[in-house]
Amino acid sequence: MQDHPIDPDNVNIYRQLPGIDALLLEMSPEIETWGREAVTHCLRGLIADLRAALANDPSSDCSAATIRQRASRALAAADAPSLVPVINLTGTVLHTNLGRAILPEAALEAMSMVAASASNLEFDLDRGTRGDRESHVEGLICELTGAQAATVVNNNAAAVLLVLNTLALGREVPVSRGELVEIGGSFRIPDVMQRSGCTLVETGATNRTHLKDYRDAINEHTALLMKVHTSNYRVQGFTRSVEESELAQLADEHDLPLVVDLGSGNLVDFTALGLPEERTVSQVLADGADVVTFSGDKLLGGPQAGLIAGRADLIEAIRSNPLKRALRLDKMTLAALAETLKLYRDPARLVQRLPTLRLLTRETGDIRAQAEQLQPVVQASLGDGFTVSVADCQSQIGSGSLPVETLPSAALCVTPCSGEDTDLRNLQDALRQLPVPVIGRLHRQALWLDLRCLEATQQGQLVAQLQALAP
Ligand SMILES: *Cc1c(COP(=O)(O)O)cnc(C)c1O
């Protein structure tokens, strides 16, 4: 009552406010859906707001019907999920902000099955004894990469942290100056090295690092040699970096392990799929890397995870690090990862079954045909204010995989007839506010909707929503 200064002449204005109990009497559907406590809490908040409003403007609408309607809307809004599916028309297939890889069907089924029931996560069904949660994926990783052993953690950043903390704590690690990368705001190789407890020894120059530079950096404090995939940029021009095979030989001469942070974790020959060349985990291991770290949700096309594959003795040491427990994978991720990896056993059907590769390998002609089919529909929905045309564009692989190479694609290119940027921004906002938000890309005074990632189900959703948007 005393929250707001009250004019004594006006004290009666609050009398028109309905009581909470009276309001509740007519809110059975809301109580049924969200519970009496939540509805009461919401009404209290609205009444408090109305008191403040009445103090300023005694004629504010505070009828019971209005309050109930507001409460109903507020309860629904508060209950709506915050994390929702979107339609990714950005042209970036593995978009970190949009959740990276889309999981294959088999992984989705495995996740929900293991989540809905007790499972043999850490239970050996043959022996009836305690089991190892990694047994569900380790064999698969070894089979597909040729590694002796493997372990898994929460993401590749965690993999790098754990490997360095295990193998190089309190010692030195030479890394080429050309490979001191930042991947997204918070993952910088120098910072991760520092937090993992080892000392970075910057080696060579930004554009050129020679084998001799590594040789000069090695001393009795050196723990290992490390090579980092320059995922999200490329040093071009007068450049030189040292191949894994050369580095492996040098590491061997000094009895040091060679660790390669590969980032993407590609498991198949990309050129055979018509994609830009990207070395596979098996190739890097065959070239002499002792430990390779890579992500589960980049080119591999699975759930967020960090995979560590390599020499059995080193993997055993990594697995025994007490930090491992803090970084371990949960059962749903393990289930999804196992099913994703199994798809690689059947290369002939892999591209069809694994959404990441399916989207990356879509024929430009197909995408263009889809764009031509959609163009009149989208034009009709957007009305006279915009021109929708079919245009060639370039998709990106994303997530720091193959930063320079792009894939030819087709887009709906939307320009405002007014030529006004505000009209374009308003359209972009409207598309983002749709029930299944549509995310495009502003580029050269146009909104580009790259159709590479628009598969059949989402195309249906897009069309239905756009018709609702029609002016
Ligand atoms: C992406 C990437 C990382 C980080 O991997 P996350 O799975 O995102 O944690 C680390 N190193 C390299 C080289 C990468 O490309």
Side-chain angles (χ1 to χ4, degrees), residues 179-237:
E179 298 173 3
L180 297 175
V181 300
E182 171 181 309
I183 292 129
S186 52
F187 183 88
R188 283 182 172 175
I189 286 290
D191 298 342
V192 172
M193 294 184 81
Q194 193 195 0
R195 290 295 174 127
S196 70
C198 67
T199 305
L200 162 67
V201 179
E202 295 188 23
T203 307
T206 306
N207 58 333
R208 288 172 74 85
T209 301
H210 306 267
L211 192 60
K212 178 179 178 303
D213 295 320
Y214 287 98
R215 186 173 285 128
D216 290 348
I218 296 175
N219 61 45
E220 73 273 21
H221 305 297
T222 308
L224 52 87
L225 297 185
M226 182 167 183
K227 192 164 169 62
V228 182
H229 193 285
T230 55
S231 302
N232 50 5
Y233 72 104
R234 183 88 22 108
V235 183
Q236 280 172 327

Side-chain angles (χ1 to χ4, degrees), residues 100 155-157 183 187 228-229 231 261-263 295 297-298 305:
R100 290 195 186 160
N155 55 20
N156 188 36
I183 292 129
F187 183 88
V228 182
H229 193 285
S231 302
D261 174 17
L262 204 49
S295 293
D297 55 354
K298 293 186 181 172

Side-chain angles (χ1 to χ4, degrees), residues 222-295:
T222 308
L224 52 87
L225 297 185
M226 182 167 183
K227 192 164 169 62
V228 182
H229 193 285
T230 55
S231 302
N232 50 5
Y233 72 104
R234 183 88 22 108
V235 183
Q236 280 172 327
F238 183 57
T239 66
R240 170 86 170 85
S241 65
V242 182
E243 297 297 323
E244 277 96 2
S245 51
E246 296 174 86
L247 213 48
Q249 202 174 354
L250 178 67
D252 230 30
E253 281 166 24
H254 293 269
D255 209 13
L256 298 171
L258 171 63
V259 172
V260 178
D261 174 17
L262 204 49
S264 268
N266 170 32
L267 298 180
V268 287
D269 178 3
F270 260 36
T271 52
L273 299 175
L275 290 169
E277 183 174 359
E278 173 77 2
R279 276 153 50 79
T280 63
V281 177
S282 355
Q283 282 170 334
V284 174
L285 284 167
D287 276 352
D290 297 293
V291 173
V292 177
T293 67
F294 52 104
S295 293

Side-chain angles (χ1 to χ4, degrees), residues 345-420:
R345 284 175 166 166
D346 183 0
R349 277 182 291 183
L350 177 65
V351 166
Q352 204 38 50
R353 290 171 166 179
L354 193 72
T356 298
L357 288 182
R358 188 166 72 225
L359 296 175
L360 287 174
T361 56
R362 276 191 73 189
E363 297 280 348
T364 317
D366 273 2
I367 308 174
R368 186 162 246 285
Q370 186 186 15
E372 267 150 20
Q373 184 204 341
L374 272 176
Q375 185 274 334
V377 181
V378 176
Q379 178 67 77
S381 305
L382 298 187
D384 296 338
F386 295 93
T387 308
V388 181
S389 58
V390 174
D392 292 332
C393 66
Q394 297 290 323
S395 304
Q396 295 194 347
I397 295 169
S399 279
S401 310
L402 298 159
V404 181
E405 291 85 356
T406 54
L407 307 169
S409 183
L412 293 175
C413 178
V414 186
T415 48
C417 299
S418 63
E420 295 287 341

Side-chain angles (χ1 to χ4, degrees), residues 51 61 83 109 113 131 140 158 214 227 257 263 269 305 364 452:
R51 281 181 171 278
D61 177 4
L83 191 54
E109 281 165 26
M113 203 156 65
L140 281 162
Y214 287 98
K227 192 164 169 62
D269 178 3
T364 317
R452 174 173 294 277

